[in-house]
Amino acid sequence: MSGNKICRRVGERTFEYSGRPSVTGAGSVAGEMEGQGPQAEWFDVVLKDDRMGQETWEKAESKMFQTAVEYAMRDAGISRRDADAILCGDLLNQLMASSFMARNLAIPFLGIYGACSTMTESMLLGGTLVDGGYCRTVITGASSHFSTAERQFRMPLEHGNQRALSAQWTATAAGALVISSEHDSHIRLTHATIGRVVDPGIMDSNCMGAAMAPAAFHTIRNHLKDLGRQPLDYDLILTGDLGNIGKRILVDFSETGSKLPYLREVYDDCGAMMYDASRQDVHSGGSGCGCSGSIIAGRICKEMREGKIKRAMLVSTGALMSTISSQQGESIPGIAHAVTVEYV
Amino acid sequence: MSGNKICRRVGERTFEYSGRPSVTGAGSVAGEMEGQGPQAEWFDVVLKDDRMGQETWEKAESKMFQTAVEYAMRDAGISRRDADAILCGDLLNQLMASSFMARNLAIPFLGIYGACSTMTESMLLGGTLVDGGYCRTVITGASSHFSTAERQFRMPLEHGNQRALSAQWTATAAGALVISSEHDSHIRLTHATIGRVVDPGIMDSNCMGAAMAPAAFHTIRNHLKDLGRQPLDYDLILTGDLGNIGKRILVDFSETGSKLPYLREVYDDCGAMMYDASRQDVHSGGSGCGCSGSIIAGRICKEMREGKIKRAMLVSTGALMSTISSQQGESIPGIAHAVTVEYV
């Protein structure tokens, strides 16, 4: 029965996509404020109205996510009938944005929750389904919306409360990728590392970057070690939403004892990239799983297609807390999943 | 690059686990009330105190889930270092029970959310990771707790409100499986079908069985059709938590036009099995992702090991709603994922 056993493990924590599944389509949508930031030119759609004509913010988020998926399908030249599965998630309780989108699209649906690590979690899993031959084509993605997250996790929107300087701004943005073995593209998935939960004991939910940075560090280090690589073997190592503070912490970690030599030269963070700190009052940068979702499906995919980035490690980062866990005195555990993508 | 392309698709919606990954360990924990029902003898642990000595119900659920995982690991003869990943989920906002368990166990963690379909979603995905060689050993599982679900989704526990006769009782229970290519066992995963969202337009959140039955029907029918099988080719077709009403609806569907001939003879539902309707006042039966989680990891695995069940189709069923989606006037979409397991 087990005659055709295959091992795709590389080192302790990493595996290989031996068939190098292709990213054949990408779609990205961003909100009004994100459309005024430095990433604006890379998004397929910048919303003129973050409410998208919907009655509620939650329905707007679902529609925004669906728009990103539809752009990704169009980009790949597929219809929804060609997709064997959609793997995706968001920050809403019970994945409301994803679930109702998946209902509308009627594509077989696997809900994923990794807080803001969802984008690379969905790519990691979707990649194995395609590479292993379980699916021919899948869609992966993640979405977040300032107005849904703010009122679910923090304060009523009408409250207009003052925000801590270490706080990040949940990006209104969604990104989706089509991963397929049916068509070739220049962007291929090569390796991935599933992250483990790392909890540095941060209690302040306005300091998520610090809570996630150790998990990002562990995953990046494990991924490099397993592949026998150094940071400079990459053109880009990109974390999800550590923001300005978390990014500095990760660079500090990397330089202490040269654990990740020269990381700084190839490293960036979607949270730090999303807004222009000099013009946009977002304190420590962007966050939300749509932050890395839209930048990966927007700028990164487009730059890779042009061959400007040959090898990138994408490491979306999540803070696995809820309002209840914080109210019950729990600290904020972090997680990060790494996927290496290459231009071929 | 794509030289080693493998296709494991069978029919339109189904795929095969060609390496037949083994279920090498199972662990199940159930609450006080579930321990007074007809499934009691099959659980590894029946709690004497649903609070498990914890300060809060949420922490109790996390500890209960961890206990199920620890039993599964012990049953498989592995330590947490042998597990390449844990794929699991629960009903709490942001998967609080799973996340904090994964933190304590320090096993690479992939959070899954499929409402009460989570058990077979985690098996389906975990099975591909092992079968495809991406992981050697994974843990899959699902958990729910009456006291956390009730206060999150419905009413404060102290309220003691009257419940509709069509309502189901969220089971306090957790189940976990170890799936591995490193060791053989008698229980093997052979095929799976990813379900799509089916929304029959049910608006009553006290009538979840009716909301989920159409999704279960679609997934069972697709799975059978793709494999060229009839219901009687199975010893057992088991849905997750349709409960007494949903179970009757599914049987009605199957008999209308003989769409699933003789389903009734091999069919049961974990929600209908969990409690004794004559003694336990749970109205339409059990629900919650721990309901099918604990019965699959409890009774089904044990009966399969003894060879009493040779071939079972496991179909956990989920209602993809949130309190917000219901408040915003949305109907309740259903989903169901099927995994066939065989005794070899």
Side-chain angles (χ1 to χ4, degrees):
Chain A
M1 295 288 268
S2 306
N4 53 354
K5 223 181 258 183
I6 303 159
C7 184
R8 294 184 166 106
R9 299 293 291 182
V10 181
E12 261 187 72
R13 292 283 179 215
T14 300
F15 61 75
E16 181 185 20
Y17 298 102
S18 6
R20 304 285 189 259
S22 288
V23 177
T24 59
S28 54
V29 180
E32 297 171 68
M33 189 160 136
E34 292 69 24
Q36 292 158 15
Q39 304 304 317
E41 62 177 306
W42 302 100
F43 299 124
D44 292 313
V45 181
V46 171
L47 301 179
K48 291 199 180 93
D49 164 21
D50 283 3
R51 191 79 161 253
M52 294 191 82
Q54 299 296 299
E55 282 180 342
T56 69
W57 296 114
E58 288 74 18
K59 292 184 186 190
E61 179 174 351
S62 193
K63 189 174 178 186
M64 172 179 73
F65 200 178
Q66 186 169 333
T67 306
V69 169
E70 285 166 349
Y71 265 82
M73 290 194 292
R74 197 177 313 164
D75 188 36
I78 64 166
S79 80
R80 59 180 186 77
R81 290 177 194 283
D82 300 315
D84 292 326
I86 181 163
L87 299 90
C88 62
D90 55 81
L91 297 177
L92 293 181
N93 296 341
Q94 290 75 55
L95 307 189
M96 179 176 161
S98 303
S99 298
F100 286 88
M101 170 184 73
R103 175 188 69 179
N104 294 348
L105 293 173
I107 299 168
F109 171 53
L110 295 164
I112 301 295
Y113 183 77
C116 302
S117 72
T118 298
M119 189 65 196
T120 52
E121 181 179 348
S122 73
M123 292 171 66
L124 181 153
L125 280 170
T128 61
L129 290 180
V130 170
D131 187 52
Y134 305 100
C135 292
R136 290 154 298 206
T137 299
V138 301
I139 300 167
T140 67
S143 120
S144 56
H145 195 299
F146 175 79
S147 300
T148 62
E150 192 68 10
R151 69 183 188 171
Q152 176 180 281
F153 288 111
R154 298 182 190 95
M155 293 286 179
L157 292 164
E158 299 80 357
H159 192 276
N161 59 303
Q162 201 170 17
R163 302 170 61 251
L165 283 172
S166 59
Q168 294 169 242
W169 187 272
T170 307
T172 299
L177 299 178
V178 176
I179 301 175
S180 180
S181 59
E182 300 273 284
H183 302 282
D184 284 346
S185 86
H186 287 306
I187 313 176
R188 305 290 187 92
L189 273 57
T190 69
H191 297 88
T193 298
I194 305 169
R196 72 175 173 81
V197 181
V198 178
D199 189 340
I202 303 284
M203 304 298 288
D204 179 358
S205 63
N206 286 309
C207 207
M208 307 278 256
M212 297 186 284
F217 173 77
H218 276 275
T219 298
I220 294 169
R221 196 172 60 166
N222 284 333
H223 196 67
L224 291 171
K225 189 181 159 203
D226 286 343
L227 296 174
R229 292 179 184 162
Q230 298 289 326
L232 293 185
D233 292 325
Y234 283 81
D235 300 313
L236 175 69
I237 295 176
L238 184 72
T239 49
D241 57 349
L242 300 184
N244 301 327
I245 294 174
K247 184 181 172 186
R248 280 206 300 276
I249 294 173
L250 181 59
V251 170
D252 278 354
F253 277 178
S254 71
E255 291 176 353
T256 309
S258 288
K259 290 199 200 87
L260 294 172
Y262 304 106
L263 176 74
R264 176 195 289 269
E265 297 187 19
V266 294
Y267 170 60
D268 213 334
D269 175 76
C270 299
M273 291 161 71
M274 182 60 96
Y275 305 101
D276 180 341
S278 69
R279 292 184 295 109
Q280 296 181 295
D281 185 25
V282 295
H283 298 329
S284 190
S287 68
C289 49
C291 183
S292 66
S294 63
I295 289 181
I296 288 171
R299 178 171 184 167
I300 306 307
C301 277
K302 286 170 186 163
E303 289 202 329
M304 288 198 82
R305 276 185 192 169
E306 295 169 8
K308 286 187 188 161
I309 300 170
K310 303 277 189 199
R311 180 188 281 166
M313 187 200 302
L314 308 174
V315 193
S316 298
T317 40
L320 297 170
M321 38 85 75
S322 71
T323 50
I324 303 280
S325 67
S326 290
Q327 283 161 9
Q328 294 184 357
E330 280 289 1
S331 53
I332 303 170
I335 194 161
H337 305 293
V339 178
T340 287
V341 288
E342 291 190 12
Y343 172 89
V344 291
Chain B
M1 296 287 271
S2 305
N4 50 355
K5 226 182 255 183
I6 304 159
C7 184
R8 294 186 166 104
R9 299 293 292 182
V10 182
E12 261 188 71
R13 292 283 180 215
T14 300
F15 61 76
E16 181 185 20
Y17 299 102
S18 7
R20 304 285 189 260
S22 288
V23 176
T24 58
S28 54
V29 180
E32 297 171 67
M33 188 160 138
E34 293 68 24
Q36 290 157 18
Q39 304 304 317
E41 62 177 306
W42 303 100
F43 299 124
D44 293 312
V45 180
V46 171
L47 301 179
K48 290 200 181 94
D49 164 22
D50 283 4
R51 191 78 161 255
M52 293 192 84
Q54 299 297 299
E55 281 179 343
T56 69
W57 296 113
E58 288 74 19
K59 292 184 185 190
E61 180 175 349
S62 193
K63 189 174 177 186
M64 173 180 72
F65 201 178
Q66 186 169 332
T67 305
V69 170
E70 286 166 348
Y71 266 81
M73 289 195 292
R74 198 177 312 162
D75 188 37
I78 64 165
S79 81
R80 59 181 186 77
R81 290 177 193 282
D82 300 315
D84 291 326
I86 181 163
L87 298 89
C88 62
D90 54 83
L91 298 177
L92 293 182
N93 297 341
Q94 289 76 54
L95 307 189
M96 181 175 160
S98 301
S99 298
F100 285 88
M101 170 185 72
R103 175 188 69 179
N104 294 347
L105 293 173
I107 298 168
F109 170 54
L110 295 163
I112 301 295
Y113 182 78
C116 303
S117 71
T118 298
M119 189 65 196
T120 52
E121 181 180 347
S122 73
M123 291 171 67
L124 181 154
L125 280 170
T128 62
L129 290 180
V130 170
D131 188 52
Y134 305 100
C135 292
R136 291 154 297 204
T137 299
V138 301
I139 299 166
T140 67
S143 118
S144 57
H145 194 300
F146 175 80
S147 300
T148 62
E150 192 68 10
R151 70 182 188 170
Q152 177 179 283
F153 288 111
R154 299 182 190 96
M155 293 285 180
L157 292 164
E158 298 80 358
H159 191 277
N161 59 303
Q162 202 170 15
R163 302 169 62 250
L165 282 173
S166 59
Q168 294 170 241
W169 188 272
T170 307
T172 299
L177 299 178
V178 177
I179 301 175
S180 180
S181 58
E182 300 273 286
H183 303 281
D184 286 346
S185 85
H186 287 305
I187 313 175
R188 305 291 185 95
L189 274 57
T190 69
H191 298 89
T193 299
I194 304 170
R196 72 174 173 82
V197 181
V198 178
D199 189 340
I202 303 284
M203 304 298 287
D204 180 357
S205 63
N206 286 310
C207 207
M208 307 278 256
M212 297 185 285
F217 174 77
H218 276 274
T219 298
I220 293 169
R221 196 171 60 164
N222 285 333
H223 195 67
L224 290 171
K225 189 180 160 204
D226 286 343
L227 296 175
R229 291 180 184 161
Q230 298 289 326
L232 292 185
D233 291 326
Y234 282 81
D235 301 312
L236 175 69
I237 295 177
L238 184 72
T239 48
D241 57 348
L242 300 185
N244 301 327
I245 294 174
K247 183 181 172 185
R248 281 205 298 276
I249 294 173
L250 181 60
V251 170
D252 279 354
F253 277 177
S254 70
E255 291 176 354
T256 309
S258 288
K259 289 198 200 89
L260 294 173
Y262 304 106
L263 176 74
R264 179 196 289 269
E265 297 189 20
V266 295
Y267 171 59
D268 213 334
D269 176 75
C270 299
M273 291 161 71
M274 182 60 98
Y275 305 100
D276 181 341
S278 70
R279 293 185 293 111
Q280 296 182 293
D281 185 25
V282 294
H283 300 329
S284 190
S287 68
C289 47
C291 183
S292 65
S294 64
I295 289 181
I296 288 170
R299 179 170 181 167
I300 306 308
C301 277
K302 285 171 187 164
E303 289 202 331
M304 288 199 82
R305 276 185 193 170
E306 294 169 8
K308 287 185 189 163
I309 300 170
K310 304 277 191 201
R311 181 189 279 167
M313 187 200 304
L314 307 174
V315 194
S316 298
T317 40
L320 296 170
M321 39 85 75
S322 71
T323 51
I324 303 279
S325 68
S326 289
Q327 284 162 8
Q328 294 184 358
E330 281 288 2
S331 53
I332 303 172
I335 194 160
H337 305 294
V339 178
T340 286
V341 288
E342 292 190 10
Y343 173 88
V344 292

